[in-house]
Structure formats: C-alpha cells, structure tokens
Amino acid sequence: MRLRMLGATFLLALREIRRHLLRSFLTTLGIIIGVAAVITMVTLGRGLTANVQEDIAGLGSNVFIVFPESVEERQPAPFDDMDVAAVERQIPGVVNAAGSSQTPAVAFHNGQDWSTTVQGADAAFFAAQSIEVVEGRGFSQRESERGESVCILGPKIVDEIFVEDAVLGETMRVGNVSCLVVGVIDERSNAVGGGQDADDVVLMPLKTVQRRFTGGTNIQFFVVKYDDSYTSASIQQQLIDLLRERRVIQEGEANDFNIVDTADINDTVNNVTGTMTAVVTVIAAISLLVGGIGIMNIMLVSVTERTREIGIRLAIGALAKEVRLQFLTEAVVLCCFGGLIGILLAFGLSITLASAIDLPFLFDPTVNIISFLFSAAMGMIFGYYPAHQASKLDPIDALRHE
Amino acid sequence: MSEAPLIQLEGITKTFGTGPAAFQALKGVDLSIERGDFVAIMGPSGSGKSTTMNILGCLDTPTSGIFRFRNVEVQSLSRDQRSLLRRRYLGFVFQGFNLLARTTALENVELPLLYRGESKKARREAAERSLDKVGLLPWAGHTPAELSGGQQQRVAIARALVSDPDVLLADEPTGNLDTERSIEIMELLRDLSRSGITVLMVTHEEEMAEFARTIVHFRDGLVQRVVEGKRREVAE
C-alpha cells in the first residue's frame, strides 16, 4: 500500500516536471553544474595521476637517480664507472646500479639525417628504467664489455629515417660511428635525462658511447635499484654517506650531487592532485548549495501555485505526511534528474578534455554514484521545508486560494 | 429503539480571531441529521452556514460544543484523524468544482482512491463505475478545460462518490451553473439521497432547496428554523 502510494507519487512528480520542463531544467542547473564539475575534475585528476604514475613506473620503482649538482656555482666532479661499481658492491640492499651518459648526435640512414641523442646504457640500466625492447634484442654482455658498435633505436628514429619495414640488421651511422641496429624499444611517455623526447634516442652500450663520443670513463648520472625489503630512507642515507666519502666532502659542506627518489615524485603528484580535488570540491559544494537554494525557491513557488490542488487533496482525505511526501518526492526526482544530466555532461566533458590534453579517460563509478546520491540528498534537504509548508496548509484556506 | 442520528451538533460555537477583532460566526448551533436525509442549509451570507458546513465536513473544528459523527466526537480528533474520517466517510462537491486542471476526468475521480491505497486496476474500475453513475463515462479521458460547467460538477460528484461515502457535502453545488444544468445536478443529488447517501447541501437558491427533504435556515450564527422540503419532482 505504501509502495503504491510512492509509485503514484513518483509518476505525479514526473508529470509536474514535464509540465514545467524549462523551469525544471533551469532550477536544476546549479546541481547539474556542481555534479558535472566534481565528476569531471575527479576523472581528469585520476587520469593525470595515472599518467604520472605510468611515467614514474617508466623510471622504475624502488629506484634512485643520482646526478652531480653544482654547489655555489662550482662545477661538480662527474661520476664515473668506479662510483657505480662501488655503490653496487658496498651498499647492502642495492640490487644493481647502472650509469648512463648521453650526448647530442646526428643519425644518418638512407641519405636522411636526424638530430637526436645518443645514450649509453647497458642491461642493468634497461632493467632499472623498465625500458622494453619490443623488436630484436637487448645488448649482450659481450657487446657491453667490449663496447661494440651496436644500437637500439627509439620508435621515433624508426619513424623518421627508416622508411622501409626492415630495421633490424640495418647499418646506420650516428655521428662518425657506424653501428648495427639490433633492437627497437617500446614507446615511453617520458624518462630521466633531460626534457627531450624519450622515444627520440639511439641507445648504445655505455662503453661504446664513452669511447666513441664522450671519452674517458665518466658518466652523467646513474640509477640505483634497491630491494624493496629495504626502506628508501636507509638506502638513501648509505648512498649519501658513501658518495660523500668518495667525493671527499668535508663535514658541514653540502652534497655536490642530488638523489631523486621516484617515490617522492609520486607523493608530490598525489599532493598536487589532492589539493586540486579539494579546491574543486569546495567550488562544487558552493555550486550545489546555490543549486539547492534554487530548488527550495522553486518548490516554494510550486507550493503557492498549487495551493488549491493541495486543498483538494487535503479535503478528500490526504494526510499531512502524504502531501509532504508528494512535494518531497518532486524535489528529489528533480534533483536526481539534475544529477543524471550532470553525470552525462561530465562523461562527455571528461572524454573531450582528456583527449584534448592527452590524458587517459578513467571512468570512476564511485564518484558518479556518490554524486548521484548527493543530488538526491540535496533534494531531500532543500525540498523538506517547502514540502512541510505544503503539508501544514489549512484545507479551507487552501480551497479558497485563487 | 430509535437509532442515534448520523450527525449531531450540540451547542456548537465558532469564533474567528481574538480580542476586539474576534467574530463569533456560530453562537450555539444544535442540529441532528438522520442517515439518508437530503438537507439543504440556507441563510443569508454571514449567517454561519458555510462555517457549519466546514465543521460538518470535518475540515474545521468548533470552538466549543459537541459534534458527533457516527457516534464519534469529532471535535476532539486530531487533524490527521479527521483526514482519515473524510477519506473514509465523506465526499465533497464545491461551488468552484475544484477539479485538478490538466488531469483527465477519470484521474480526478481516481484521486480519493489513491489515498486509500487501492490498486491501479481497482481505482480504474471504481472510477469508471462512478463516472457512469453521473453519465460521464464517454468523457473519461477529457480534462476539465474540455468539459462544460455542468459536466465538471458531475465529475466532481463522481469523485465524491467513488469512495462510497456515507455523507456527500455540497457547498453551493449549482452556484456556477445555469438553471437547466442546476436542475440536472439537483436531480442527481436527490437520486443519490434515495440510494441511501446522506446529502448535505448549502445553497441560497430557494428553487434548489426545494429538492431537499429537510431545509435548515440559518440566521446570525444560529439555526432559525428547520422545515420539511417539498421534495420537488421535475416532470419528465
């Protein structure tokens, strides 16, 4: 019996909304905008976080990146192979350490040339940085130890100067060095080592790069991968102690190197997206509040307009709570529609914006459901007072109302 | 031996407002109405007939006095209890018809059953039966705007009848109708009273009051006299 009443009340609410379609739409605009804003921002925030996390995963997890840093404008000493070997040998918990060096170079093939970067890297560096060889193979130990002229190409190089399908087994020239292409790496969105495109790179064994391009045994930076049963802080401290000792830094002097923890980057990104979400939530809350007041206003108008109808309903025996339920249902249904439209709008907006700023679109059911329930709650909160007013009307006065 | 009257008013007073602006609309009304009676309540405006009607319709409560309906003392009931009483035992017909606009005749008639929690099917069937009784079944799908005044009032009567009430209260039911339509409505009310429904009607038209069995004249907040009506018949 209750249910029948509720069903009939629901249909009645739908009919009232249809009767004043434009008014209903304008009334719910606040709710629509609020809901759309929250969902869009949360969805984009998730996409951004996922994007950054993917990038960081590209840097490897449980990985430090160590590079020299000038102190008071003094040029710091570069790291070399010995430093990397020491870190790997002397710090318990370090799985491996791998140096890298890079330099600009021009790549030639088939009469075409392309300015790019040549980077020295061996198997350990590939592993620490999660660089995947998707075609061909990685460098063999023998190639690395002997500094042979072999290279692995970033996908961009392949696109730019290799017109034919065959890439593996081709010989190309990089600067003055002729090398054999043995592999192609996966597309990466970003990687360490400057702002250049991570896909626009020619990788060679570190020894080859040192010998043929940079000279000596220096490296520009190195990565340290550690066992995740050790804490980041303990490894970092040992790293600092060891490097200070090797670089003969006196007590009280600053480190002339920098250690970047990929986990820190992750935290920073999470903080930024968290702050962004909080700001948007506040804006949305204000928008929803304004929307709710709009709902209350229009429901009060509706009660006044329909005073006679209320009088008729009361006269034929409607209870106060039944009249209240009717108007409350109307407000809730109105807000639910607003919520639904907001969700649809957010869906379209998120997809469009995500593709425009090159973020993945990650649908979040939770925020959608919560937003919808929140809209319904707005209807209840702001619909209650007008509904209560309606239920308190005196049937005799209401019937006389013009 | 004799059954208690369906409706009993004893010393009913009603005062509106307070202080010097207070106005006593009823000054001690005593009245008994038997089951199945057709009562016309007459009197000049301000005589208290509408106030009495509101009290009889359980829409309003007296300031003092006793109002017994089916041996229940209505004056001490709560607002919702009076709503339930109206829902179960009373049907209303108003001067201004008071149908829901943009709602079909059938849906208007179904309305009281909605509050009784009847199923959709039962509501539909009862509403169609009721519309048939007032001869408006063919107009079931029309909205009030598409019906004449007389038809609207008959829809209102169908709505009042649909819940099978004991008492039909009609406040100036012919006030907005021409004579011909008025007479049709009066005949309908008379037929209903013959079928056992108690009909209470406020009117200021002598001609309409003639259809009633009992005529109650109000004056200055008191029952002036109660006379037997002419139970007028209209030649076919």
Side-chain angles (χ1 to χ4, degrees):
Chain A
M1 175 168 160
R2 256 297 143 67
L3 217 60
R4 253 176 218 155
M5 186 76 211
L6 208 60
T9 311
F10 180 72
L11 290 177
L12 195 70
L14 286 184
R15 189 190 287 188
E16 277 306 320
I17 290 166
R18 213 177 48 207
R19 260 179 205 166
H20 306 284
L21 212 51
L22 180 63
R23 182 165 100 180
S24 305
F25 174 73
L26 293 176
T27 304
T28 51
L29 212 51
I31 304 267
I32 293 174
I33 292 170
V35 166
V38 172
I39 299 178
T40 305
M41 291 315 292
V42 170
T43 307
L44 290 181
R46 266 171 65 98
L48 185 65
T49 311
N51 215 1
V52 171
Q53 273 166 350
E54 196 187 323
D55 288 355
I56 292 166
L59 304 178
S61 54
N62 301 333
V63 168
F64 291 119
I65 300 153
V66 186
F67 49 91
E69 194 177 54
S70 50
V71 176
E72 290 157 8
E73 315 215 343
R74 250 183 303 121
Q75 197 62 33
F79 288 116
D80 62 16
D81 292 347
M82 303 301 288
D83 295 313
V84 177
V87 164
E88 200 172 61
R89 256 199 333 272
Q90 293 179 24
I91 301 178
V94 168
V95 178
N96 58 42
S100 179
S101 244
Q102 57 189 35
T103 184
V106 181
F108 301 92
H109 184 70
N110 271 354
Q112 303 192 72
D113 56 293
W114 178 254
S115 292
T116 181
T117 304
V118 59
Q119 183 174 12
D122 296 315
F125 188 84
F126 276 62
Q129 294 260 277
S130 309
I131 302 172
E132 255 187 88
V133 178
V134 287
E135 259 183 80
R137 58 175 179 83
F139 300 129
S140 69
Q141 201 176 346
R142 181 191 161 92
E143 284 163 347
S144 291
E145 279 168 5
R146 296 171 127 208
E148 289 184 0
S149 289
V150 285
C151 58
I152 295 175
L153 304 180
K156 181 116 184 206
I157 305 280
V158 176
D159 287 347
E160 292 294 342
I161 59 174
F162 282 80
V163 277
E164 66 276 34
D165 287 343
V167 177
L168 302 179
E170 289 285 304
T171 306
M172 69 183 294
R173 192 156 63 80
V174 180
N176 297 321
V177 181
S178 184
C179 67
L180 177 70
V181 180
V182 297
V184 177
I185 58 166
D186 196 9
E187 266 186 49
R188 294 181 294 166
S189 34
N190 216 337
V192 74
Q196 91 272 14
D197 186 345
D199 296 335
D200 185 3
V201 68
V202 177
L203 294 158
M204 290 191 192
L206 179 60
K207 200 160 236 173
T208 316
V209 173
Q210 286 171 334
R211 230 180 246 167
R212 314 289 285 268
F213 292 90
T214 58
T217 58
N218 290 349
I219 54 168
Q220 284 162 348
F221 66 94
F222 65 96
V223 294
V224 178
K225 188 172 176 64
Y226 59 91
D227 193 320
D228 57 13
S229 59
Y230 290 81
T231 66
S232 158
S234 73
I235 300 283
Q236 192 164 359
Q237 194 50 54
Q238 292 183 69
L239 204 49
I240 291 170
D241 293 345
L242 179 63
L243 292 176
R244 283 179 75 93
E245 189 188 317
R246 288 184 65 85
R247 295 165 78 83
V248 205
I249 301 170
Q250 303 300 322
E251 191 119 350
E253 278 185 61
N255 295 338
D256 62 351
F257 55 89
N258 193 1
I259 299 174
V260 174
D261 186 349
T262 52
D264 283 348
I265 302 176
N266 206 354
D267 285 350
T268 309
V269 170
N270 282 340
N271 277 342
V272 170
T273 43
T275 311
M276 200 171 73
T277 308
V279 169
V280 171
T281 307
V282 169
I283 294 170
I286 294 168
S287 169
L288 286 174
L289 183 72
V290 172
I293 293 168
I295 296 276
M296 182 143 108
N297 188 24
I298 217 70
M299 288 310 296
L300 284 170
V301 169
S302 181
V303 168
T304 309
E305 276 181 356
R306 286 153 68 194
T307 300
R308 229 176 141 86
E309 176 196 324
I310 296 164
I312 297 168
R313 290 178 184 276
L314 289 171
I316 63 175
L319 299 177
K321 66 176 179 191
E322 288 164 341
V323 171
R324 193 164 55 220
L325 180 73
Q326 183 191 337
F327 282 88
L328 205 53
T329 306
E330 216 171 294
V332 171
V333 169
L334 200 59
C335 286
C336 285
F337 271 119
L340 278 180
I341 296 172
I343 286 171
L344 290 179
L345 190 66
F347 194 76
L349 265 179
S350 318
I351 288 182
T352 316
L353 287 177
S355 79
I357 56 178
D358 213 16
L359 285 179
F361 170 73
L362 293 175
F363 182 74
D364 184 350
T366 321
V367 71
N368 281 277
I369 291 168
I370 289 176
S371 300
F372 182 75
L373 294 179
F374 200 79
S375 314
M378 297 297 285
M380 262 197 237
I381 293 164
F382 289 98
Y384 187 83
Y385 176 72
H388 185 65
Q389 292 294 98
S391 73
K392 274 197 333 201
L393 285 174
D394 177 61
I396 300 166
D397 292 341
L399 280 169
R400 280 200 206 111
H401 190 268
E402 281 309 318
Chain B
M1 168 78 212
S2 75
E3 207 185 333
L6 182 67
I7 292 165
Q8 264 184 303
L9 299 180
E10 284 173 25
I12 295 288
T13 70
K14 179 74 186 177
T15 307
F16 292 105
T18 49
F23 167 68
Q24 196 173 27
L26 298 179
K27 298 171 180 165
V29 171
D30 299 308
L31 189 64
S32 290
I33 296 166
E34 300 292 334
R35 193 179 285 274
D37 202 349
F38 183 1
V39 180
I41 297 173
M42 299 197 68
S45 43
S47 62
K49 59 185 193 301
S50 286
T51 309
T52 307
M53 198 64 165
N54 286 338
I55 290 172
L56 288 172
C58 305
L59 291 167
D60 207 349
T61 47
T63 307
S64 69
I66 296 166
F67 166 29
R68 278 195 208 90
F69 174 61
R70 298 173 62 93
N71 280 326
V72 174
E73 296 206 355
V74 178
Q75 79 277 356
S76 53
L77 297 182
S78 73
R79 186 186 146 128
D80 275 350
Q81 285 173 316
R82 282 186 282 122
S83 279
L84 292 173
L85 215 55
R86 290 199 293 275
R87 177 187 296 196
R88 175 67 192 87
Y89 298 111
L90 305 181
F92 287 90
V93 176
F94 306 94
Q95 177 176 6
F97 319 137
N98 278 338
L99 298 175
L100 296 187
R102 289 167 299 191
T103 305
T104 65
L106 191 68
E107 285 168 325
N108 262 293
V109 176
E110 279 183 20
L111 196 60
L113 299 178
L114 183 65
Y115 291 106
R116 283 195 175 191
E118 304 271 358
S119 75
K120 195 175 169 63
K121 188 162 170 282
R123 290 204 301 265
R124 173 115 327 168
E125 284 170 3
E128 281 174 352
R129 264 201 310 279
S130 196
L131 273 175
D132 198 26
K133 260 186 224 169
V134 298
L136 275 187
L137 193 53
W139 280 269
H142 292 248
T143 60
E146 298 164 348
L147 298 172
S148 73
Q151 287 173 323
Q152 288 186 53
Q153 194 58 300
R154 285 197 285 173
V155 172
I157 292 172
R159 181 180 64 193
L161 291 178
V162 75
S163 54
D164 210 7
D166 281 14
V167 180
L168 186 71
L169 295 109
D171 192 353
E172 303 268 13
T174 60
N176 287 1
L177 301 175
D178 63 30
T179 310
E180 199 182 334
R181 304 286 156 247
S182 297
I183 288 172
E184 281 174 22
I185 295 294
M186 294 318 296
E187 286 180 314
L188 187 55
L189 294 181
R190 185 199 59 211
D191 293 347
L192 290 172
S193 83
R194 283 183 182 160
S195 72
I197 296 175
T198 309
V199 178
L200 307 181
M201 171 181 76
V202 166
T203 184
H204 59 266
E205 295 169 272
E206 287 285 352
E207 200 182 352
M208 300 307 142
E210 283 176 2
F211 284 87
R213 261 169 56 169
T214 310
I215 302 176
V216 180
H217 288 274
F218 270 75
R219 191 171 193 93
D220 297 330
L222 287 168
V223 175
Q224 188 186 28
R225 62 198 157 94
V226 178
V227 297
E228 200 169 312
K230 295 179 179 165
R231 303 188 206 184
R232 175 176 159 192
E233 295 288 338
V234 175
E236 295 296 321

